[in-house]
Amino acid sequence: RDKQPMADQEAPVAAEEGASKGKVAKYQPSDFLKAVLGRPVIVKLNSGVSYRGILACLDGYMNIAMEQTEEYGIDGQLKAKYGDCFIRGNNVHYISTIKRR
């Protein structure tokens, strides 16, 4: 298995944030979600279907509202485009940022 850091493990704090050398801070999943609000994301569902769009808002149950949303099937082919999209949180497998070109 890959050794990937878990979200509740400590990660180094960037020097520009005023941290002195050797200090660490906890990085929580909620920190990531706050950082990507209003930015392009990929939301993959448990079914394998994925949605790409702008993350408009989400709640503690991981219910998601997206704008300018595109739906991609399991095969990766574009299936539909939506203005707004609402996804129930219990269907979400993961949320990822879209790499900028």
Side-chain angles (χ1 to χ4, degrees), residues 51-52 54 56-57 64-71 82-88:
Y51 293 86
R52 293 175 184 228
I54 308 298
C57 64
I64 296 170
M66 296 174 68
E67 299 171 342
Q68 303 170 24
T69 310
E70 298 174 334
E71 179 182 3
Y82 307 105
D84 293 329
C85 176
F86 300 94
I87 301 171
R88 185 176 164 137

Side-chain angles (χ1 to χ4, degrees), residues 78-93:
L78 178 64
K79 298 294 181 186
K81 291 186 178 185
Y82 307 105
D84 293 329
C85 176
F86 300 94
I87 301 171
R88 185 176 164 137
N90 68 330
N91 296 310
V92 176
H93 183 65

Side-chain angles (χ1 to χ4, degrees), residues 18-30:
S20 63
K21 193 172 185 178
K23 283 195 174 185
V24 293
K26 291 194 181 244
Y27 184 74
Q28 300 293 326
S30 61

Side-chain angles (χ1 to χ4, degrees), residues 1-71:
R1 271 176 56 168
D2 293 337
K3 299 278 183 175
Q4 294 180 345
M6 295 179 60
D8 61 346
Q9 290 180 336
E10 296 180 346
V13 175
E16 57 266 14
E17 293 180 17
S20 63
K21 193 172 185 178
K23 283 195 174 185
V24 293
K26 291 194 181 244
Y27 184 74
Q28 300 293 326
S30 61
D31 297 330
F32 166 76
L33 294 171
K34 288 176 191 171
V36 298
L37 274 174
R39 300 184 71 190
V41 295
I42 299 171
V43 177
K44 182 134 185 185
L45 305 186
N46 295 328
S47 66
V49 174
S50 61
Y51 293 86
R52 293 175 184 228
I54 308 298
L55 182 62
C57 64
L58 69 147
D59 64 13
Y61 295 100
M62 200 67 76
N63 295 319
I64 296 170
M66 296 174 68
E67 299 171 342
Q68 303 170 24
T69 310
E70 298 174 334
E71 179 182 3

